[in-house]
Amino acid sequence: MKLLVTGGAGYVGSVCAARLVESGHEVVVLDDLSTGHADAVPDGVRLVEAGIDDAIGGVLAEGFDGVLHFAAKSLVGESMQDPAKYWQGNVVTSLRLLDAMREHGTPRLVFSSTAATYGEPEQVPIAETAPTRPTNTYGATKLAIDHAITSYAAAHGLAAVSLRYFNVAGAYGRFGERHGVETHLIPIVLQVASGRRDRVQVYGDDWPTDDGTCIRDYIHVVDLADAHLRALEHATAGEHRIYNLGNGLGFSVKQVIDACREVTGHPIPADVAPRRAGDPAVLVASSEKARAELGWKPERVDLAGIVRDAWDFTRSQQGA
Ligand code: UFG
C-alpha cells in the first residue's frame, strides 16, 4: 500500500515507518519536526517537512491507500497548562486531516489513541468497554478525535482503527525515544545511568500497590508497531474499531528502576518524591480484543529486554 505517516519523524511514528517499509509498503512521512527529528525518518522514505494544517490537502492529492496518524502533542502536564495547544494541535488538526481524507477519497486510517482516554480505571486490566473519563486534557483531546473518527467512519465509509497505547518503551535499532522535554520513566532513569542526570525521583511510594509505587503496562515499541500493520490489514470500510495495546503485565516504578540497574550496571540513585498530580495507581491493559480480532500478540514482554533495547539506543545516541 502507499501510506502517509504523519509524525513519522517521532518516536513511535519512526519505528512504525521503518516496519512498514520492511513489510514492502511505500511510505511518505509528513512531519513539521516540532518534536521529531529528520534523521529518524527511515532511509528511502520521503519526508514532507510541513504541518498537517498547511500541507495535508496537497499531499493527499497524490493518492494514498491509507494514513497512519501519529502527529500530536503528547505531554500530559503541558496539556493541563496550555490546553489550547492540545485542542488546536490535536483535535482541530485531526479534523483537517479527516476532511482532507474525505475530499481525496483516502480509504484507511490508523490513529494513535491512548490509555489516557480512560482516566482512573474502575477495573484492571482495562478493556475497551471501560468508561472513558480522561483526567487530563491530553486524554480528552485524543478521546474527542476518537469520537470524530467514529462519526466519519459511519457517515463516509472510512475504514478506521484507533489503537490505545499504554506505556510505550524500548527502541528499534536507531529508532528510539528522544524527546526535548523528557517526562517518561524509562528514558529518565536511563539518563541517570548515562550520566546526564544525577538521580531519579520516584513519584510516591504510598500507593495501594505491593511496593507502594505506581504500576504501568510497558509495551515494546516494535510490538506496538506490528499492531499497526495488522490494524491496516483488518480495517473495514464504514467501521471504527478501537483496541487497547499493552502487555497485560504490570511493573511498578521500583521494578523498572531495578531492571534498569540490572541492565546498565549503574546504581541509579533514587529519591522518593511527592505523588505526581493525575497519576492513577495502576494502569494495565487487557489486549484480548486485539489478540482475538487482529491476531496480534506482544512478543517482547520481558522488562529487562525492553530496557536493554532502550539502553542500547541511549548509548548509540551518545556515541558511547
Ligand atoms: N515516574 C516517576 N518518576 C519520573 C517519571 C515517572 O516516578 O521521573 C512514574 C510516574 O509517576 C508513573 C510511572 O513512572 O507512575 C510512569 O510514568 P510515565 O510518565 O513514564 O508514563 P505515564 O504512565 O504517566 O504516561 C503514559 C503515557 C502517556 C499516556 C498515559 C496514559 O506516556 O502518554 O500513559 O495514562 F497518556
Side-chain angles (χ1 to χ4, degrees):
M1 288 190 238
K2 182 173 177 185
L3 300 166
L4 180 67
V5 177
T6 76
Y11 170 39
V12 180
S14 64
V15 174
C16 280
R19 299 290 282 190
L20 288 166
V21 170
E22 284 167 20
S23 304
H25 296 288
E26 180 185 350
V27 174
V28 176
V29 164
L30 176 63
D31 198 306
D32 64 5
L33 301 185
S34 56
T35 53
H37 308 270
D39 63 4
V41 176
D43 295 338
V45 167
R46 175 157 55 101
L47 167 66
V48 179
E49 188 184 331
I52 289 175
D53 290 341
D54 297 327
I56 193 66
V59 173
L60 285 183
E62 281 179 25
F64 282 85
D65 299 304
V67 175
L68 294 99
H69 180 36
F70 299 95
K73 305 290 169 210
S74 64
L75 297 174
V76 171
E78 182 186 61
S79 79
M80 302 304 281
Q81 273 134 31
D82 189 359
K85 186 170 178 181
Y86 283 71
W87 288 103
Q88 194 71 40
N90 289 352
V91 178
V92 175
T93 300
S94 296
L95 292 176
R96 291 286 291 273
L97 170 68
L98 285 169
D99 279 328
M101 290 179 70
R102 180 161 63 112
E103 189 185 335
H104 295 287
T106 316
R108 287 176 201 83
L109 173 67
V110 178
F111 174 59
S112 303
S113 189
T114 169
T117 53
Y118 295 112
E120 184 82 45
E122 282 168 7
Q123 277 189 329
V124 240
I126 302 170
E128 293 80 357
T129 48
T132 42
R133 290 188 291 243
T135 52
N136 55 62
T137 304
Y138 166 66
T141 62
K142 288 283 185 169
L143 182 60
I145 300 163
D146 274 341
H147 286 315
I149 294 171
T150 301
S151 19
Y152 274 68
H156 306 304
L158 180 67
V161 179
S162 287
L163 299 175
R164 291 189 172 158
Y165 310 164
F166 282 63
N167 290 63
V168 190
Y172 183 47
R174 69 183 186 89
F175 307 104
E177 200 166 6
R178 33 178 178 143
H179 297 121
V181 181
E182 193 49 78
T183 62
H184 294 124
L185 180 63
I186 291 176
I188 283 179
V189 176
L190 294 179
Q191 284 179 356
V192 178
S194 64
R196 291 178 56 206
R197 195 183 276 260
D198 289 337
R199 18 200 345 112
V200 60
Q201 294 194 313
V202 175
Y203 296 144
D205 68 351
D206 56 353
W207 296 92
T209 61
D210 283 351
D211 68 16
T213 64
C214 286
I215 291 178
R216 294 289 182 274
D217 184 335
Y218 296 88
I219 174 171
H220 197 294
V221 66
V222 174
D223 283 334
L224 187 81
D226 289 350
H228 290 71
L229 273 87
R230 287 176 184 264
L232 265 180
E233 287 162 17
H234 285 80
T236 305
E239 287 183 19
H240 178 208
R241 300 190 185 185
I242 296 177
Y243 299 100
N244 291 346
L245 295 180
N247 278 333
L249 294 173
F251 295 102
S252 72
V253 172
K254 278 189 181 159
Q255 286 175 315
V256 169
I257 297 173
D258 281 342
C260 292
R261 287 178 176 136
E262 186 192 315
V263 167
T264 64
H266 189 284
I268 308 180
D271 302 314
V272 176
R275 290 181 176 191
R276 187 171 68 176
D279 269 346
V282 180
L283 282 180
V284 176
S286 164
S287 297
E288 288 309 312
K289 190 178 170 196
R291 289 173 196 243
E293 295 186 11
L294 301 179
W296 172 82
K297 190 162 88 58
E299 305 284 350
R300 300 156 185 84
V301 295
D302 166 50
L303 181 61
I306 293 174
V307 168
R308 196 170 301 114
D309 287 350
W311 178 232
D312 288 346
F313 175 76
T314 304
R315 283 189 301 175
S316 73
Q317 289 300 300
Q318 296 190 316

